[in-house]
Each structure stands twice: as structure tokens, then as C-alpha cells.
Amino acid sequence: MSNFKAINFHSARFLKSAARLDQCPEDTGAEVAFAGRSNAGKSSALNTLTRQNKLARTSKTPGRTQLINFFVLNDPAFRIVDLPGYGFAKVSKETKRDWDYHLEQYLQERKSLQGLILLMDIRHPLTEFDQEMVEWAYESGLPCHILLTKADKLKFGAAKTQLLKVQKELTRHRELVTVQLFSSLKKQGIDELSELLNQWLVPNEPSDP
């Protein structure tokens, strides 16, 4: 086990927003991106992880986040990234195509991207776009960790059954895709998520002889 200092996610602060790849921060260090449908609880998960109620916007209007938002952590080499929510945004087809193009460009060309956190409402997992994101990450060799959010909406047994069902659906992706239960309301799954993010962001240091 490496002896790196754990990242303090509570230190997260807004760095900048970008509409295009060329507006993103310098492509150095390491970052992990959060993606999901507009109603999957992405903003709530980011706020829960960082213990900051207003770090990521939460809105009753799905699709409010239209930019790639970067947050720097206690070590400036490490960032978490809030990607535009997909699904319910009430925008023109032309605007949506533009978003899709720049988002795809970020995911494919961003060298500092170490992994993708994909959020799905536990009651409606693996939508068509969710599966496209999983396939893209898998084909690109990018680790993908799924948060089945709003786990508090189901009884424990039902939530566990849903977890096993999603894991079974993704059996052929298991080398790169992992799944966990998560609830922002109940603070469930935060430690598991934090540990994974540390593993992705901080390179393993050689052990002392």
C-alpha cells in the first residue's frame, strides 16, 4: 500500500468553467470527471463529497449545468470536474449538438483525465446514454465507477438487488467498470467514493526499502 497523503476533498474550490476544450485549465496533473443525467443527483453528490452545500449548483430545473466546471483540491495538481448533465435540458438541437461535440472532445483528448464517475438514479439505471458512456469509457481504457444515487429511495434489500442487477449487466466490462450504492441524503457511500478518487488521482509512490 502506498504512503501518499490523502486528498482533502473538503478543500475543493471553484477554478473555472469551460465551454470548449481550449478553454479548459492547463492539461497537467490529474482530474476525475463526474457525469450523469440531469436528475441523477450529480450536484448533490459533489456537494456531499466536499461538504460544501453550494460548490456545485443544484436546481429544480434539470440541465442547468451547461459548462464543464473545474474544481481544484488542496494540491493544485488535482481536480474534480463537473460535466454538463445530459437528458432533460430544454435547449435547441443545435445547442445540444454543440454541447455533445465539445464534451466528447474533452473526454477523448484530455490527457489528465484519470477516470469517470457516472451517476445513475438507482430507480432508473443504465439508460441508453448511460450505456453509451460506459461503452465509450471501456473502449477508451478509462476506468469508470458508477454511483447508484438516491439509494435511500429503496429499502436496503431492494437497493442491494438493484446493485447486483447492474453489476450483472456490466459483467463484460468488469475490468474497468465498478458500481456502488450512494445516497447524498443519508451520506451513504462517501468513504468508498473518496478512497477510489484517491487511488485514481494520486500516483502510487514507491514503498521505502
Side-chain angles (χ1 to χ4, degrees):
M1 184 175 180
S2 63
N3 57 354
F4 65 77
K5 183 179 179 180
I7 293 172
N8 178 10
F9 293 103
H10 311 160
S11 69
R13 58 182 175 81
F14 176 74
L15 179 61
K16 71 176 299 186
S17 294
R20 306 188 309 267
L21 186 65
D22 61 7
Q23 297 175 344
C24 294
E26 187 176 355
D27 197 359
T28 60
E31 61 195 34
V32 173
F34 284 65
R37 285 180 68 84
S38 300
N39 64 342
K42 178 163 55 68
S43 294
S44 295
L46 283 167
N47 290 340
T48 301
L49 171 68
T50 60
R51 297 186 187 176
Q52 299 185 43
N53 293 334
K54 298 180 180 179
L55 183 76
R57 291 181 179 180
T58 56
S59 173
K60 293 182 179 179
T61 304
R64 181 174 177 179
T65 303
Q66 302 174 12
L67 299 171
I68 301 173
N69 296 305
F70 293 83
F71 302 92
V72 67
L73 299 167
N74 54 305
D75 185 321
F78 305 134
R79 297 173 298 276
I80 51 178
V81 185
D82 184 9
L83 299 180
Y86 53 82
F88 300 93
K90 295 180 180 179
V91 296
S92 67
K93 290 183 179 179
E94 183 178 354
T95 299
K96 187 176 186 305
R97 281 197 301 268
D98 191 50
W99 285 1
D100 291 345
Y101 170 76
H102 292 298
L103 182 58
E104 183 178 7
Q105 192 178 34
Y106 165 80
L107 291 170
Q108 291 183 344
E109 299 182 22
R110 188 73 172 169
K111 295 180 176 60
S112 54
L113 183 60
Q114 302 300 307
L116 180 69
I117 302 295
L118 184 57
L119 295 92
M120 306 178 191
D121 186 323
I122 192 169
R123 298 164 297 177
H124 314 288
L126 294 175
T127 64
E128 182 179 351
F129 198 96
D130 290 335
Q131 294 185 53
E132 288 177 6
M133 292 291 283
V134 169
E135 286 295 334
W136 176 86
Y138 185 75
E139 294 298 327
S140 302
L142 184 72
C144 177
H145 185 65
I146 296 171
L147 299 186
L148 294 178
T149 62
K150 307 181 184 181
D152 55 278
K153 299 291 186 181
L154 300 180
K155 292 184 178 179
F156 179 76
K160 200 72 174 179
T161 297
Q162 192 75 307
L163 172 67
L164 295 173
K165 181 180 178 181
V166 171
Q167 288 175 329
K168 184 176 180 180
E169 287 281 334
L170 298 172
T171 298
R172 78 177 189 89
H173 304 88
R174 62 177 175 268
E175 294 174 9
L176 287 173
V177 180
T178 49
V179 191
Q180 72 164 94
L181 299 176
F182 191 88
S183 168
S184 295
L185 182 65
K186 300 293 186 181
K187 306 294 188 291
Q188 177 185 357
I190 298 174
D191 290 344
E192 186 178 346
L193 174 60
S194 298
E195 183 178 349
L196 179 82
L197 292 174
N198 267 294
Q199 293 172 0
W200 281 3
L201 288 170
V202 185
N204 288 330
E205 298 175 357
S207 301
D208 294 332

